[in-house]
Amino acid sequence: MSKDIIKGFPEGFLWGGATAANQCEGAYLEGNKGLSTIDVVPAGKDRFPVMLGKMKMLECDNEHYYPSHEAIDFYHRYKEDIALFAEMGFKTFRLSLSWARIFPNGDDAQPNEEGLKFYDDVFDECLKYGIEPLVTITHFDVPMNLVKTIGSWRSRKMVDYYERLCEVIFNRYKDKVKYWLTFNEINMLLHLPFIGAGLVFEEGENEEAVKYQAAHHQLVASAKATQIARRINPDMKIGCMLAAANFYPYSCAPEDVWMAMEKDRENYFLIDVQSRGEYPSYAKKMFERKGINLKMEEGDEELLKNNTVDFISFSYYSSRLTSADPKINLETAGNAFKTLRNPHLKASEWGWQIDPLGLRITMNSLYDRYQKPLFIVENGLGATDSPDENGYVEDDYRIDYLREHIKAMRDAVNIDGVDLWGYTTWGCIDLVSASTGEMKKRYGFIYVDKDNEGKGTLKRSKKKSFYWYKKVIESNGADLD
Ligand code: BG6
């Protein structure tokens, strides 16, 4: 192994950034797009109850502000944005498709040509600069009509609609897109069911049973997508996507260690199925204990078995911590759910703890478990930025976060031997925060002039981290200063 490889990353490593349609496109009803789940998720105090599926909001009203409606207007400004990504030297750009842009109602007989054309244009723009698109088929996004008519992923019919979507997009983009993710953070469905699966609960129903059934439908849909992709273009690579991060035990008490293992399993469970092709025994036992009877159709097990993913993609923001001792209960925020506060770690303004070594630990756990290539498709620091009059932000805090995480992933690759295909930082351009709906929680290398209330010119400007990341990519991760 040459010295350069030790310092940096293997040749062909895919550096880039990540976004999602629901958080950046805007133009929520333009180009014949139908209403999506995210379009009825307001900013403010009602956001969380809606995301949990506890508060029914099936239409927009005039009392709330809905950040997805305009977002950062990527729909009209994608050329300018992609040019900036190219200037940073991106090798890949992760984006998601808005399902309702392609099938406005989800169950339409024919796709919407204007929606398909939009993504053609976006992919062409990427390819023009040699940027490989990495596409999430669904990222917190379901056509609202399917929520209203069939209860979204609680219904098996969703598998057919998803299949129809996959047939269309794989055929249409087969020569433009090689890397696909079937569902963003598939485990999110268990924590934010409306966001993850368009689920709204009825009073008194067994919510867990509904969630696991919906998850089964997504797993079947994911396996079908993999099957279809391989038929249409065997060169396509299909990945699962996990909101990852290992749980640490609070202490060396065996009870804490056990609890951490259980929590990790809860997390891994769905990608265990996508990667290994079957429900793990601990999950089957858990269903038995809870009295949950999953409805499976004939052929499901075989389908899952024969259509496992090619690679494991994941988001990582921070490690997690758990304890069996109820007296240890000081919590802090994290990606979608809370975790115990780790006294060894600092946290972001939003309480997400900062743990670069946790990334190396998580990578090793995933690689040991699945023995498949990994792809880090989200990582970054959400922070408040203070731009000067030209929109320039001196964001050393963001650079520090990313530098330490890249070092940790470099160690995982070069010292531990983890096979990592690429790294896309989350929100490479500022976009709407999924959890809070704010613009103030910024991740980008590119500043977007817009505030939490939706005011601003939407002007783009380069932050200090823009120039830093450009250098990182140029040096293939060898120069992180
Ligand atoms: C992940 C999601 O959960 O975390 C993204 O896939 C999200 O959609 C990201 O934006 C960061 O979370 P937040 O809440 O800071 O936007």
Side-chain angles (χ1 to χ4, degrees), residues 145-199:
N145 176 56
L146 296 179
V147 177
K148 292 182 197 160
T149 52
I150 57 171
S152 187
W153 283 101
R154 65 170 67 221
S155 163
R156 175 87 191 195
K157 283 195 199 136
M158 285 298 275
V159 177
D160 301 336
Y161 298 135
Y162 186 87
E163 214 181 321
R164 193 182 294 177
L165 172 71
C166 289
E167 281 284 350
V168 167
I169 58 177
F170 291 154
N171 271 309
R172 175 92 174 207
Y173 308 126
K174 62 177 181 299
D175 300 322
K176 296 184 181 177
V177 181
K178 178 172 170 192
Y179 298 97
W180 298 88
L181 310 179
T182 52
F183 288 91
N184 180 59
E185 298 187 334
I186 194 159
N187 53 328
M188 202 55 90
L189 177 165
L190 304 173
H191 305 285
L192 296 172
F194 185 71
I195 284 290
L199 299 177

Side-chain angles (χ1 to χ4, degrees), residues 341-390:
R341 206 148 98 191
N342 186 329
H344 302 286
L345 301 177
K346 292 197 179 113
S348 78
E349 292 165 69
W350 275 264
W352 296 24
Q353 304 181 104
I354 300 173
D355 182 9
L357 185 54
L359 173 59
R360 182 173 172 188
I361 294 169
T362 298
M363 289 173 72
N364 275 278
S365 300
L366 288 167
Y367 194 58
D368 283 353
R369 196 175 181 96
Y370 302 115
Q371 293 289 303
K372 292 194 180 189
L374 305 184
F375 207 134
I376 301 172
V377 295
E378 287 186 31
N379 174 237
L381 178 75
T384 310
D385 287 337
S386 308
D388 66 14
E389 63 283 4
N390 300 315

Side-chain angles (χ1 to χ4, degrees), residues 23 139 184-185 317 335 352 378 426 433-435 441 443:
Q23 288 161 267
H139 187 131
N184 180 59
E185 298 187 334
Y317 292 92
N335 189 10
W352 296 24
E378 287 186 31
W426 176 248
S433 156
S435 56
K441 191 180 186 194
Y443 288 86

